[in-house]
Amino acid sequence: MAEQESARNGARNRGGVQRVEGKLRASVEKGDYYEAHQMYRTLFFRHVSQGRHAEARELMVSGALLFFSHGQQNSAADLSMLVLESLEKAEVEVADELLGLPMGAAMLATVTGLPASGEVGHRFVRDLAAGLPQNLAKLFSLMDPNSPERVAFVSRALKWSSGGSGKLGHPRLHQLLALTLWKEQNYCESRYHFLHSADGEGCAHMLVEYSTARGFRSEADMFVAQAVLQYNKSSASVVFATYTQKHPCIESGPPFMQPLLNFIWFLLLAVDGGKLTVFTVLCEQYQPSLRRDPMYNEYLDRIGQLFFGVPPKQTSSYGGLLGNLLSSLMGSSEQEGDGSQDDGSPIELD
């Protein structure tokens, strides 16, 4: 009985929200933008003060979309920021469940205040959870790309989402932002967000378009190399395989006609084995290709530290990446002579 009463109360509340939204929509349609904006803000703080954060977010999302549809960028951006404020004030723990993956009964109750059982509550929150990241990405996509409000919105959204599985923002949110920026042909920022997502295939397709639209034919290998050297291992392999298969200027391989692509292919294999000697020889043999971009050696320094036990860069009589590798290799050889290291064990990657 209590569950049924809660469901009826929830239905009544949503009915009231719909009536208020109808009045607000009518005000906007008449051009009373300021009055409607202030009413949205008043209702937001009323909902939040009563602990009704889910309703507050739902109202702000619909209001922002309405203002966007009427070209009211400032009002829409303000309500979009209130969506994030509601997430922060609710102190909802960021979890994979909240960003689109299956949500358990306890999380249902925590997020919405609805009972942890009951079809009405479950259906309502499933819709909310599935739509949250898409709603944030939708609001982002409708903002003026050159507005400071958009920068503030994405920074705040990623900061909120960083409470989950990503220190620099949740990978799912990064993916949606990357897709939006790709549609806008903002390839550079799209690549940044792809690199913080887990969507290697999407990144590869974007890079193919980026390369063919903005790069020279001779640079096709460089577009994928820069991404692969910065990605996590599993996604890097997907990016490389997809890119080399789909790019019109790259013949089927491996091996490839471009030395840099062969280096990346060998490097991905070397990471699986974790042998410092293989990594050192690769970097030495492919120096002519690696000199094409001064950032490559910096990326490889980091890869050496993560997967091959290379110590942080330090001044060496040899100088540079090779000097650091040679110093590490000599130390590794001495350890092998003592039988203290087993290079045959693959490196476990995060």
Side-chain angles (χ1 to χ4, degrees):
M1 292 296 293
E3 181 180 310
Q4 293 176 351
E5 182 63 26
S6 296
R8 284 195 293 270
N9 289 337
R12 282 196 295 270
N13 288 337
R14 288 193 293 279
V17 169
Q18 290 173 354
R19 286 192 295 274
V20 171
E21 285 186 335
K23 294 179 181 179
L24 290 171
R25 184 176 295 276
S27 294
V28 173
E29 296 292 348
K30 289 188 299 182
D32 296 334
Y33 302 126
Y34 178 80
E35 179 181 347
H37 183 191
Q38 295 307 309
M39 182 57 68
Y40 270 111
R41 290 182 60 86
T42 299
L43 290 172
F44 171 80
F45 290 110
R46 183 181 301 170
H47 281 312
V48 169
S49 68
Q50 297 171 354
R52 297 161 62 183
H53 299 285
E55 290 89 341
R57 285 195 295 276
E58 187 179 1
L59 184 61
M60 292 306 101
V61 169
S62 65
L65 294 176
L66 180 60
F67 278 119
F68 276 128
S69 69
H70 286 77
Q72 300 299 302
Q73 280 280 330
N74 290 337
S75 294
D78 180 61
L79 298 191
S80 299
M81 295 299 284
L82 290 180
V83 174
L84 298 176
E85 185 172 329
S86 74
L87 290 169
E88 296 163 351
K89 287 188 173 182
E91 297 183 350
V92 176
E93 182 180 354
V94 180
D96 289 336
E97 289 88 346
L98 192 59
L99 286 165
L101 296 179
M103 180 175 286
M107 181 62 74
L108 290 170
T110 301
V111 173
T112 66
L114 292 172
S117 60
E119 181 58 29
V120 173
H122 279 256
R123 185 171 61 250
F124 174 71
V125 183
R126 278 199 302 268
D127 293 343
L128 173 67
L132 178 58
Q134 287 82 357
N135 282 338
L136 294 180
K138 180 67 173 178
L139 296 175
F140 171 79
S141 71
L142 293 172
M143 292 181 182
D144 180 355
N146 299 315
S147 68
E149 290 80 8
R150 193 189 215 198
V151 175
F153 178 82
V154 72
S155 298
R156 192 170 177 180
L158 289 170
K159 182 179 180 181
W160 168 76
S161 75
S162 66
S165 60
K167 294 181 180 179
L168 299 175
H170 198 282
R172 173 62 173 154
L173 185 55
H174 273 295
Q175 179 196 26
L176 293 171
L177 295 172
L179 293 171
T180 296
L181 292 162
W182 178 11
K183 291 178 182 177
E184 297 175 358
Q185 297 184 335
N186 188 340
Y187 300 115
C188 187
E189 290 193 26
S190 176
R191 179 179 59 189
Y192 168 83
H193 289 289
F194 269 124
L195 289 174
H196 290 89
S197 76
D199 186 6
E201 185 174 356
C203 182
H205 286 286
M206 183 278 295
L207 289 173
V208 169
E209 183 178 310
Y210 188 11
S211 170
T212 54
R214 304 285 174 83
F216 294 105
R217 183 185 180 92
S218 60
E219 296 173 336
D221 53 348
M222 298 181 71
F223 278 83
V224 69
Q226 189 177 61
V228 168
L229 293 176
Q230 296 179 77
Y231 237 133
N232 62 70
K233 186 224 170 188
S234 58
S235 295
S237 299
V238 174
V239 171
F240 183 74
T242 305
Y243 183 91
T244 54
Q245 290 170 8
K246 300 297 182 181
H247 200 292
C249 297
I250 296 177
E251 298 181 5
S252 60
F256 301 95
M257 295 295 294
Q258 299 92 334
L260 184 59
L261 294 182
N262 287 325
F263 170 78
I264 297 296
W265 173 47
F266 284 128
L267 177 64
L268 292 171
L269 295 175
V271 167
D272 281 330
K275 285 186 176 291
L276 178 59
T277 51
V278 176
F279 180 61
T280 304
V281 170
L282 276 176
C283 292
E284 183 177 27
Q285 293 298 316
Y286 282 92
Q287 271 301 300
S289 294
L290 297 177
R291 292 194 193 102
R292 294 171 64 192
D293 186 335
M295 291 301 298
Y296 290 162
N297 280 340
E298 291 191 24
Y299 300 146
L300 289 168
D301 270 328
R302 180 63 175 159
I303 290 171
Q305 293 170 33
L306 288 173
F307 304 122
F308 299 97
V310 176
K313 185 187 295 185
Q314 54 187 338
T315 303
S316 168
S317 58
Y318 296 103
L321 171 66
L322 279 178
N324 203 35
L325 290 174
L326 289 171
S327 297
S328 300
L329 185 59
M330 287 186 288
S332 175
S333 298
E334 292 174 1
Q335 290 182 350
E336 288 175 357
D338 296 336
S340 59
Q341 180 174 345
D342 180 10
D343 279 341
S345 300
I347 303 289
E348 290 294 328
L349 307 178
D350 294 332

